[in-house]
Amino acid sequence: MDLHGHYIEVNPAFERMTGYTKEELLQMSHKQLIPFDQTELEQVKASWESMIQEGVPYSLEHPIKHKDGYFFEVNSHNIPIIINGNITGYFTICRDISERKRTEEILRKSDKLAAVGQLAAAVAHEIRNPLTSLKGFTKLLQDHFPQEKKQYFDIMLSELARIEMISGELLVLAKPQVKHYDQRNVNEILLSVVALLESQANMNNVEVELKLDLDLPFLQCEENQLKQVFVNIIKNGIEAMKQGGKLLISSERHGLEARLCFVDHGCGIPPDIIHKIGEPFYSTKEKGTGLGMMITNKIINHHKGRLEIESEPDKGTTIRVFLPIFHDE
């Protein structure tokens, strides 16, 4: 672009991304594609002036309007073009991050729902214990009072039944939400999650190596829930390797199941506590809640799958997820 924000050269990828041809784009300004609100305009203006005055590159995330009318999110990195000491324009490198944004939003909502569900289950459990005693003793006392006083006991029992019904409704939160199972390529789900966590892996000096069986049949699954499973496992693997390292992720067919392996070379888990992994509020991490692996177990169980964990302190952990392969017949 030139200093007025008009396109002076674009590549085919930008044509495909926006839906416009090169000839159309060369007649346009970036303002026609990027709908900034007033707050965003102030931020962009400050970054722009800094780049013009000091030649400092800057990055930002913003929506772009496609030729067909819909919006998608991009990350744009802007680099000044300097000729003979003067800034004459700038390069912009755009990456479409709309899928990543959608996945992040889904995962945030999933985390919140899962935490609320676990809390609701705990509250319902704590209510039901004393409730059982109250109902039992109320019925017992009812037989020792005159007939004219029994109406009070009927009211008490009715109210206790209402409390029991409310606690039962709380448990609904802890049960899985209504799901729509579809045939999905589990390798594609893995790749989308790896792309989502790529920046976290880089910050922790962790290299993610993929070894995927491209002929793996489709699975009957709920895609967003499997994403939640893979995010939890991969994040744990990254965080376990405090000094960096390699995280190996593989997929292969194992009889009538798909076997997904996640191997890290981190701190490992002591053998005397490995059986506790997946219990609510139990975590080996200092600030962990234990909800992540609990949710992971729950989702895998609902998919009729299973989870295996092997670990050795100071050597690493291997997590295997087995999921049944969908058969069209």
Side-chain angles (χ1 to χ4, degrees):
M1 301 185 202
D2 62 21
L3 292 180
H4 301 290
H6 292 99
Y7 298 106
I8 53 178
E9 186 58 61
V10 297
N11 68 357
F14 194 65
E15 292 181 87
R16 291 192 298 272
M17 184 182 285
T18 61
Y20 291 96
T21 65
K22 180 177 179 178
E23 289 72 24
E24 290 172 320
L25 288 165
L26 295 184
Q27 303 299 317
M28 297 170 68
S29 161
H30 75 283
K31 293 177 183 177
Q32 294 169 263
L33 296 183
I34 306 173
F36 288 122
D37 60 29
Q38 193 57 42
T39 304
E40 290 171 328
L41 275 174
E42 293 299 321
Q43 293 172 344
V44 172
K45 187 178 178 182
S47 299
W48 171 263
E49 289 175 353
S50 175
M51 185 186 75
I52 296 299
Q53 293 170 10
E54 304 171 23
V56 179
Y58 70 96
S59 298
L60 70 157
E61 294 182 359
H62 59 80
I64 282 184
K65 187 175 182 179
H66 192 274
K67 186 178 181 179
D68 291 340
Y70 65 87
F71 292 92
F72 60 96
E73 291 285 328
V74 300
N75 175 281
S76 63
H77 186 58
N78 303 280
I79 307 161
I81 301 171
I82 303 174
I83 299 175
N84 297 326
N86 298 315
I87 298 174
T88 61
Y90 63 100
F91 293 109
T92 295
I93 303 167
C94 285
R95 172 183 284 184
D96 186 344
I97 58 168
S98 49
E99 179 62 29
R100 192 194 82 189
K101 287 282 188 181
R102 281 193 293 270
T103 303
E104 286 174 348
E105 183 61 26
I106 288 165
L107 294 177
R108 273 195 294 271
K109 288 179 179 177
S110 180
D111 276 339
K112 289 176 184 176
L113 284 172
V116 168
Q118 179 61 29
L119 181 61
V123 170
H125 177 73
E126 293 303 321
I127 289 174
R128 283 185 165 190
N129 284 343
L131 199 59
T132 302
S133 301
L134 285 169
K135 283 177 67 180
F137 283 115
T138 302
K139 287 179 179 178
L140 187 65
L141 288 169
Q142 189 176 24
D143 298 330
H144 294 79
F145 278 79
Q147 187 64 36
E148 62 270 17
K149 302 289 185 182
K150 286 190 176 181
Q151 59 175 323
Y152 299 122
F153 288 94
D154 291 335
I155 293 169
M156 290 168 66
L157 286 169
S158 172
E159 291 302 299
L160 288 171
R162 195 158 72 90
I163 294 171
E164 191 173 38
M165 182 192 71
I166 292 168
S167 68
E169 288 176 350
L170 276 175
L171 280 173
V172 172
L173 287 173
K175 293 176 182 176
Q177 305 298 309
V178 176
K179 300 177 293 296
H180 301 285
Y181 287 88
D182 296 303
Q183 295 182 59
R184 289 287 181 264
N185 186 325
V186 72
N187 288 331
E188 290 181 0
I189 299 174
L190 272 172
L191 287 169
S192 68
V193 172
V194 168
L196 174 67
L197 298 176
E198 184 180 12
S199 57
Q200 184 176 343
N202 291 337
M203 284 190 292
N204 287 272
N205 198 28
V206 171
E207 177 190 352
V208 179
E209 182 179 326
L210 293 165
K211 189 178 179 182
L212 306 179
D213 178 3
L214 301 180
D215 296 322
L216 198 63
F218 280 22
L219 305 185
Q220 187 80 347
C221 64
E222 209 289 323
E223 181 176 352
N224 293 327
Q225 289 205 342
L226 282 193
K227 281 184 179 179
Q228 178 78 43
V229 167
F230 299 150
V231 164
N232 289 338
I233 294 174
I234 293 171
K235 278 182 69 178
N236 285 345
I238 292 171
E239 291 167 3
M241 294 185 280
K242 299 188 183 297
Q243 306 303 318
K246 183 179 287 188
L247 177 65
L248 175 63
I249 302 173
S250 63
S251 68
E252 61 181 343
R253 183 164 186 160
H254 182 74
L256 296 177
E257 298 174 306
R259 179 168 62 188
L260 312 167
C261 293
F262 305 81
V263 183
D264 68 61
H265 302 285
C267 56
I269 306 167
D272 58 326
I273 64 170
I274 197 168
H275 66 280
K276 295 183 179 180
I277 301 299
E279 291 182 9
F281 308 114
Y282 183 85
S283 176
T284 57
K285 291 184 279 190
E286 184 181 347
K287 295 183 179 179
T289 62
L291 291 174
M293 286 308 292
M294 182 207 73
I295 296 163
T296 295
N297 265 327
K298 186 174 177 181
I299 292 171
I300 292 171
N301 287 338
H302 285 303
H303 280 77
K304 311 299 182 188
R306 53 197 172 93
L307 182 75
E308 291 180 357
I309 303 176
E310 286 183 12
S311 189
E312 197 172 336
D314 301 320
K315 289 193 176 180
T317 302
T318 297
I319 294 181
R320 298 184 188 90
V321 177
F322 296 86
L323 295 168
I325 289 171
F326 172 74
H327 291 281
D328 193 46
E329 63 270 23

